[in-house]
Each structure stands twice: as C-alpha cells, then as structure tokens.
Amino acid sequence: MYYYGIPRKRGFTLIEILMSLVVFGLVMAAAGGAFFGIYNDWRRQRNYVECIENARWAMEFMGNEVRQGGNVVVGSESWGAESVDRLQFELPPGGAPNRVRYFRGNNGAFGPTRTLYRKSGAGLGPPVDRQELANFIVDNPNFNWDAAVGVLTIELTVRPRPSDPEGRDNRNYTLRTQVRPRNQ
C-alpha cells in the first residue's frame, strides 16, 4: 500500500496492544500467585523445622545436665502470689552444690508461658537472671520423677504458633525422653 507514493508500514493497532497487555498480565498474575504460594509453604516449613530443632536441642541439653546431677526434685515453686511447676537438681550432688532449675513461665514474674527457662546458682531466689532455653511451648514441660527406679521423664510439646489453636497448619510436636541421673 502506498500513501502519496510512500510505502505504508503496518503496525499494531491499539486493540492488539491492549489485548497483548491483558494476556501478559494474566500470565504474570498466575506466575506470581504460584511463586508466593511456594514461598509461603517454604516459610511455614522452615518455622516448623526451627521450632522442632529448638525443642530437640532443649531436650538434649536438659537430659545431659540432669544425667550429671543428683538430688532431683520435681514440684511447684512460689514467688510471692505466683507459682510455677519446676524441675530442680544439684550439680554436682553433695558438697557445695550448684542448683539448677528448669521452669516454664507463667505470664508473670516467671516470664511468658510459651518459654522454658533455666536458672542456676547456689541460692535460687526469685526468677530473675534466668536463661531462655526454649520457646514455642504449648502446655508443658512435664517433669515426672519416679524415685522408685530413679528415672526422670521429661515431656515437651511445642507448636510454631503456640497462641493460635492447633490445626492443619499449626501442629503440636511432642518430644519425650527418660533420663537416669548418674549421681542420684
């Protein structure tokens, strides 16, 4: 085609450009949705793994420390009007012991309920100067001391989001170990 003797170049019409932009936008939206879905699943799985690794490390640490200790006491402790369940033992037993105590917070002076703490010293006064051992705790740890056989059972249940209800995307993980203190 010629327009006043000059060859006319064919181009895209406005409608063709708009249609190609719509198709491109739909393809990018689908790809972005898939990418963000995969990223969210990866992030959720990473949170589960970190939660379980944290709990396994805490269980291993407590088990090793209790194994070296003696004079195990399981019960509750009061500080003022507040109380909390705790595990206490001595390292080394006898002589001038260093007492070690594990306890879960109570949302008061003992700290947040989703956290497991460790405190050590010759005289274990108030729950200040404590060390955070594990977090994401759901409703325990349970410390059960069977004095007849000299075995301590420690049970720890964790959940990635302990304040949210348990569900498909927020499952409980329970770890349990039995420890026999060598110096009991």
Side-chain angles (χ1 to χ4, degrees):
M1 296 170 83
Y2 289 94
Y3 184 70
Y4 295 111
I6 303 173
R8 186 171 178 205
K9 297 182 180 179
R10 294 270 310 166
F12 295 107
T13 64
L14 182 59
I15 293 183
E16 290 172 332
I17 292 174
L18 289 176
M19 290 303 294
S20 65
L21 286 176
V22 167
V23 170
F24 178 74
L26 291 173
V27 169
M28 291 307 292
F35 173 76
F36 285 115
I38 291 169
Y39 175 75
N40 286 336
D41 289 343
W42 173 81
R43 188 174 45 86
R44 187 178 314 118
Q45 189 66 29
R46 186 192 68 202
N47 290 343
Y48 288 145
V49 169
E50 286 176 1
C51 178
I52 293 170
E53 283 177 351
N54 186 359
R56 288 180 68 189
W57 179 87
M59 290 290 285
E60 185 77 22
F61 185 84
M62 284 189 295
N64 287 338
E65 200 166 51
V66 169
R67 202 171 284 119
Q68 301 299 321
N71 300 330
V72 174
V73 177
V74 174
S76 63
E77 174 181 3
S78 295
W79 181 255
E82 300 182 51
S83 68
V84 70
D85 291 336
R86 56 120 166 109
L87 162 67
Q88 182 174 307
F89 54 94
E90 295 177 353
L91 281 174
N98 179 27
R99 292 190 182 113
V100 177
R101 178 183 301 150
Y102 292 107
F103 59 94
R104 179 179 174 210
N106 66 350
N107 273 343
F110 290 96
T113 58
R114 67 173 189 244
T115 306
L116 177 66
Y117 294 101
R118 177 188 184 273
K119 181 171 172 69
S120 65
L124 294 175
V128 295
D129 297 330
R130 60 188 181 255
Q131 302 163 335
E132 186 176 310
L133 190 64
N135 48 23
F136 306 114
I137 309 297
V138 177
D139 62 357
N140 50 14
N142 292 326
F143 303 114
N144 297 310
W145 173 244
D146 187 349
V149 293
V151 172
L152 174 71
T153 302
I154 304 171
E155 184 177 292
L156 185 64
T157 302
V158 296
R159 183 169 52 218
R161 294 180 311 275
S163 56
D164 293 347
E166 182 182 11
R168 187 177 137 253
D169 293 334
N170 196 29
R171 295 174 291 183
N172 284 349
Y173 296 96
T174 301
L175 294 93
R176 185 177 298 122
T177 188
Q178 291 185 327
V179 180
R180 182 182 308 268
R182 293 183 185 143
N183 301 310
Q184 189 59 31

